[in-house]
Amino acid sequence: MRLPGTRYQEHGWEQVRKLLGQCSLLAFSRSDPAQRFEPGCRIDGLGDRLGDRLGDRLGDRSGDALAEYVDLTACALRAAGRSARAEAPGNSYGESVVELALGLLFELQARPGDWAAFAAAVGSEQHKTGAFWARPGGEAMLRKKVNDMFAVLRDKVDADNYQVACGRPCSPNRIYAYRMLDTAYGDIARMFDCWRQNAGQVGVILGREVKVNAAPIEARQMKSIASCRPEWIIRWSASQERFTGAAGPLHTRSKRFASLKNSPDKIGAMLREIGDYEELSANRDGDWQQDALDAGAWLDDLARVLGAPEAAFEPDLEPDRILPASEDDFGSGEPGCGGGDNDNNDNDNNDNNNDNNNDNNNDNDNDDRQVAQLASIAAAVSLPPRFMQLARAAQDQGSWSARAMAGDSLPVRLAVYLKMLGSQDDSYPAEWLDPATGELPTMQQLAALDQVSLPTLRKRRDAAIAGLLAAARP
Amino acid sequence: MTTQDDLTAQSDSTTPSALDCKLRARLLLGVRVENDRLVLADDVLAAALDGGAGLGASERAALAGSPLTMRRLRQLSVERARAWQASSGMLRAAATVCVLEQLVTDDNCWGLHFVPGGAGWQVILKLAADAPFAPALMREQPMLRVRDGGGAVILQGRLDIDGECENAWPFDGAPAARLQLFGASFVVEALRG
């Protein structure tokens, strides 16, 4: 199913989910994960060091566990990037399974509430049954919880993407409802195709008897989901229990689709929307909005909108035009949906480590001992001896980001770029790149250059990003 | 926070580097707020983008506090930039007196340069680097056409990496005289399938 802006609603999602599950387990792995990761990405799996306390540790409120999980899983995803599963198309906009998986992982990083819900689920299972992940079959249980987390997240992300793309309100539950209708249509279309074998239920759906010697005209006329009639969906759902033994989605005990069941108009509008967009998007090749992500022109627009003289009207007389929160049509009756709403600890800005910035960010290159030391550290992580000096000189000191990160060491700054823009970007000066790979140094190399541990570098990097974000925010 | 001033000052002083632009964009677009929603309608955002009805203080605060709405604003900004279809311009009276060297469209987004060469003239279309639709157009690379007031094609082609496109002046006689014949106007337009 395609809708404006959505990226995670097509068949490729199954593979995205599986890849995320597989790589998450690697990140949690108790075995030696180093062998499975790319060189230079040697890590200890979260579970390795945590042993029996995985559940407790995941729930750690500082956000460290999430940051570590994201880094480890991203590493595993990139290492898996050339597998057939990872390279397969994940949607019809040309994004591969691994690209979509990485995208969703980085969305998770920005949504600590969803992580907290996952951690709580692992923690509560641990309370009940102990270190379940270490027992036979326990991996599958852990993977199921990971799957649940990403299943909730994909609909949240796509609800946002939809709103951004078309400006209409949308909730994760509404995305779920679109998908339910799409699946229902698929099942009806399948039965229409084999109407003889399904004459009983096809008759119920059409509301009339189907003769075995005459193909129902409706089946021929239904060319796409846009021409599927809402009452067919309702009758299909109502008859599912009788014909398959399992209640149809509109007729379960859940209140989720209660408002839809009696609203054929709403169902019809949603079916048409899916069909119309599918027709529209089928005619456009690769016109995906992502391509303009880095164009800076909109930043000027934003500055202009926020900096323009205020509207002439008197604020007390003229009400503002802020939209009221819209009522969602779809209740969140299912378990696993809307999870994480109870834990909004996203104001945790890691401000506890600004006092120990003893890094080599004073440009004192004259000190021979320091030069020699930097050279030996650089050599130890296979970088050119003068990497630090050259990379520092290549910074644009007057730039906004350099000024905003003036208090951070060079390796921390490079770690920020690495996280925000990836290891390769055409705006990086050549002096920042590891000549061996043509990419930014890895987190491991940067930690060595900064003479700190990987978790410390990660912490400082995330603190620097939080600072940058405050500076970038209008 | 004084960051709003910083943001405004930024665009005034120096042009930010590509690295800074990307980083700021990623930072702003990467924020997620639980239960975020669109807090301003499209028409309100569009009016603010067009420079018509600006946002009030509470509306600005709402926009700044809703990353989702900011992403929508970006989308509208990108669409607006993409939606460029045509720009038109006039030959100024003074241009007829001296030799015609350059014309600019009314929106200041395009220049038309005339360079004597060989037996006739070369005509060069140049996209202004600060045109709001410039990045989108450079990516899209549509076929462009310049026509005079009579509808005759003066130039047709795609922009090179410098944002320019040129061909020989296709008519007899000097550009100024020819343009005057047909209402002294010209139009630059995109030919999209």
Side-chain angles (χ1 to χ4, degrees):
Chain A
M1 176 184 74
R2 283 196 298 265
L3 284 169
T6 63
R7 302 162 71 197
Y8 294 96
Q9 306 296 327
E10 297 181 58
H11 295 304
W13 163 250
E14 272 308 292
Q15 298 305 320
V16 176
R17 184 178 63 76
K18 284 181 183 162
L19 187 64
L20 280 167
Q22 176 192 327
C23 290
S24 296
L25 284 189
L26 276 179
F28 294 133
S29 171
R30 293 170 62 83
S31 62
D32 178 14
Q35 295 166 357
R36 298 181 211 164
F37 288 96
E38 59 196 323
C41 190
R42 195 185 188 299
I43 49 161
D44 299 315
L46 275 173
D48 242 6
R49 276 175 287 111
L50 299 167
D52 294 345
R53 294 179 41 249
L54 181 64
D56 298 335
R57 178 69 168 69
L58 294 183
D60 168 2
R61 298 197 135 251
S62 69
D64 293 356
L66 172 56
E68 198 173 355
Y69 166 78
V70 169
D71 279 2
L72 295 179
T73 308
C75 211
L77 284 169
R78 292 200 182 98
R82 277 171 296 277
S83 67
R85 168 176 286 167
E87 282 185 331
N91 62 26
S92 51
Y93 299 106
E95 292 175 295
S96 69
V97 165
V98 69
E99 283 170 325
L100 287 177
L102 280 167
L104 203 56
L105 184 67
F106 291 125
E107 286 279 352
L108 175 69
Q109 156 176 287
R111 300 170 188 260
D114 292 86
W115 172 258
F118 164 73
V122 174
S124 95
E125 191 63 42
Q126 184 192 351
H127 275 284
K128 275 187 268 172
T129 64
F132 66 91
W133 54 87
R135 286 196 298 271
E139 278 210 336
M141 206 162 173
L142 189 56
R143 186 167 50 218
K144 167 81 168 62
K145 295 194 188 308
V146 172
N147 285 345
D148 290 348
M149 169 174 72
F150 284 114
V152 171
L153 193 59
R154 73 149 168 165
D155 286 349
K156 282 193 182 183
V157 167
D158 271 345
D160 280 2
N161 287 341
Y162 175 97
Q163 297 184 82
V164 168
C166 66
R168 290 190 293 274
C170 185
S171 66
N173 290 328
R174 188 174 171 87
I175 292 285
Y176 185 90
Y178 279 120
R179 204 165 55 236
M180 179 275 291
L181 292 176
D182 189 64
T183 306
Y185 160 72
D187 199 45
I188 292 171
R190 181 187 58 77
M191 281 193 263
F192 278 12
D193 274 349
C194 315
W195 59 273
R196 264 185 239 274
Q197 291 89 318
N198 302 287
Q201 195 171 3
V202 170
V204 173
I205 290 170
L206 296 178
R208 62 177 175 79
E209 196 185 338
V210 172
K211 300 249 167 47
V212 280
N213 56 358
I217 185 78
E218 293 91 335
R220 295 159 154 279
Q221 286 171 344
M222 190 174 74
K223 298 273 187 257
S224 82
I225 188 169
S227 52
C228 178
R229 312 241 317 251
E231 56 271 26
W232 297 345
I233 300 272
I234 296 170
R235 292 188 207 125
W236 164 84
S237 173
S239 61
Q240 277 296 86
E241 181 144 28
R242 193 173 121 209
F243 287 95
T244 69
L250 293 172
H251 294 81
T252 58
R253 288 222 187 97
S254 158
K255 293 272 184 291
R256 175 185 284 275
F257 298 123
S259 74
L260 266 191
K261 182 162 60 178
N262 302 313
S263 313
D265 290 352
K266 275 187 196 159
I267 293 177
M270 290 173 80
L271 293 171
R272 273 193 304 281
E273 189 183 353
I274 299 171
D276 290 351
Y277 186 74
E278 267 174 12
E279 194 183 332
L280 182 75
S281 60
N283 296 329
R284 273 191 322 199
D285 50 326
D287 182 18
W288 171 240
Q289 49 180 338
Q290 205 69 7
D291 62 351
L293 182 70
D294 292 323
W298 77 276
L299 288 172
D300 296 338
D301 274 341
L302 179 66
R304 202 163 45 77
V305 165
L306 291 169
E310 289 192 16
F313 57 72
E314 183 63 46
D316 290 336
L317 302 177
E318 202 81 37
D320 65 48
R321 297 162 293 175
I322 297 172
L323 296 168
S326 62
E327 283 287 309
D328 189 13
D329 281 342
F330 309 100
S332 60
E334 294 302 274
C337 224
D341 295 357
N342 49 356
D343 200 352
N344 281 326
N345 58 348
D346 50 348
N347 292 324
D348 197 353
N349 276 346
N350 281 335
D351 51 357
N352 54 345
N353 51 6
N354 294 332
D355 48 347
N356 54 353
N357 259 337
N358 57 346
D359 306 317
N360 32 19
N361 52 349
N362 49 341
D363 293 4
N364 192 1
D365 291 354
N366 299 329
D367 185 341
D368 289 346
R369 255 186 32 219
Q370 199 194 354
V371 169
Q373 195 195 359
L374 286 177
S376 76
I377 294 171
V381 288
S382 311
L383 288 169
R386 285 176 47 74
F387 178 83
M388 284 288 277
Q389 293 92 324
L390 294 173
R392 182 173 297 137
Q395 290 182 105
D396 178 3
Q397 296 291 354
S399 74
W400 168 80
S401 54
R403 278 182 286 127
M405 293 193 284
D408 296 303
S409 71
L410 178 66
V412 169
R413 294 184 202 186
L414 294 182
V416 167
Y417 293 122
L418 177 63
K419 178 157 184 182
M420 296 305 297
L421 302 176
S423 63
Q424 289 173 296
D425 194 285
D426 51 18
S427 56
Y428 295 151
E431 291 83 356
W432 289 3
L433 309 178
D434 179 349
T437 59
E439 300 179 6
L440 287 184
T442 62
M443 282 295 281
Q444 286 72 17
Q445 287 172 305
L446 292 172
L449 289 176
D450 214 16
Q451 301 169 54
V452 297
S453 70
L454 189 53
T456 303
L457 178 65
R458 209 177 267 141
K459 220 174 220 171
R460 290 185 185 170
R461 172 199 66 190
D462 292 346
I465 290 174
L468 272 177
L469 183 57
R473 238 176 203 155
Chain B
M1 277 202 289
T2 59
T3 50
Q4 184 172 316
D5 296 335
D6 293 348
L7 196 70
T8 321
Q10 176 81 32
S11 52
D12 293 337
S13 57
T14 55
T15 27
S17 71
L19 185 62
D20 274 355
C21 268
K22 285 185 192 180
L23 189 63
R24 291 164 70 94
R26 288 286 164 92
L27 285 162
L28 288 170
L29 297 175
V31 185
R32 300 291 180 263
V33 171
E34 193 68 43
N35 298 320
D36 200 359
R37 62 190 180 85
L38 296 172
V39 292
L40 295 169
D42 278 1
D43 56 343
V44 175
L45 292 172
L49 278 174
D50 290 339
L55 300 182
S58 57
E59 291 165 348
R60 283 177 207 200
L63 172 61
S66 168
L68 185 70
T69 312
M70 219 181 288
R71 287 167 65 196
R72 179 64 188 157
L73 177 80
R74 175 188 157 279
Q75 178 70 20
L76 292 173
S77 161
V78 169
E79 281 171 11
R80 226 167 53 110
R82 268 205 197 131
W84 175 80
Q85 190 52 54
S87 302
S88 59
M90 293 289 286
L91 195 62
R92 287 176 226 290
T96 55
V97 181
C98 50
V99 176
L100 183 59
E101 287 181 347
Q102 174 180 352
L103 289 173
V104 177
T105 53
D106 296 340
D107 57 12
N108 288 317
C109 291
W110 298 95
L112 209 53
H113 301 259
F114 302 93
V115 183
W121 302 72
Q122 277 295 112
V123 53
I124 305 164
L125 176 69
K126 193 169 167 53
L127 171 62
D130 59 355
F133 51 81
L137 205 67
M138 290 297 285
R139 261 195 314 278
E140 185 195 347
Q141 285 294 335
M143 180 63 81
L144 299 171
R145 187 166 67 185
V146 183
R147 288 182 301 143
D148 65 18
V153 176
I154 297 173
L155 177 149
Q156 182 161 325
R158 295 181 205 277
L159 295 174
D160 62 18
I161 50 168
D162 298 322
E164 295 183 12
C165 172
E166 68 172 286
N167 62 210
W169 175 250
F171 309 111
D172 296 333
R178 162 82 195 186
L179 286 167
Q180 287 293 359
L181 274 180
F182 296 98
S185 70
F186 69 101
V187 60
V188 184
E189 60 199 352
L191 302 178
R192 293 186 174 96

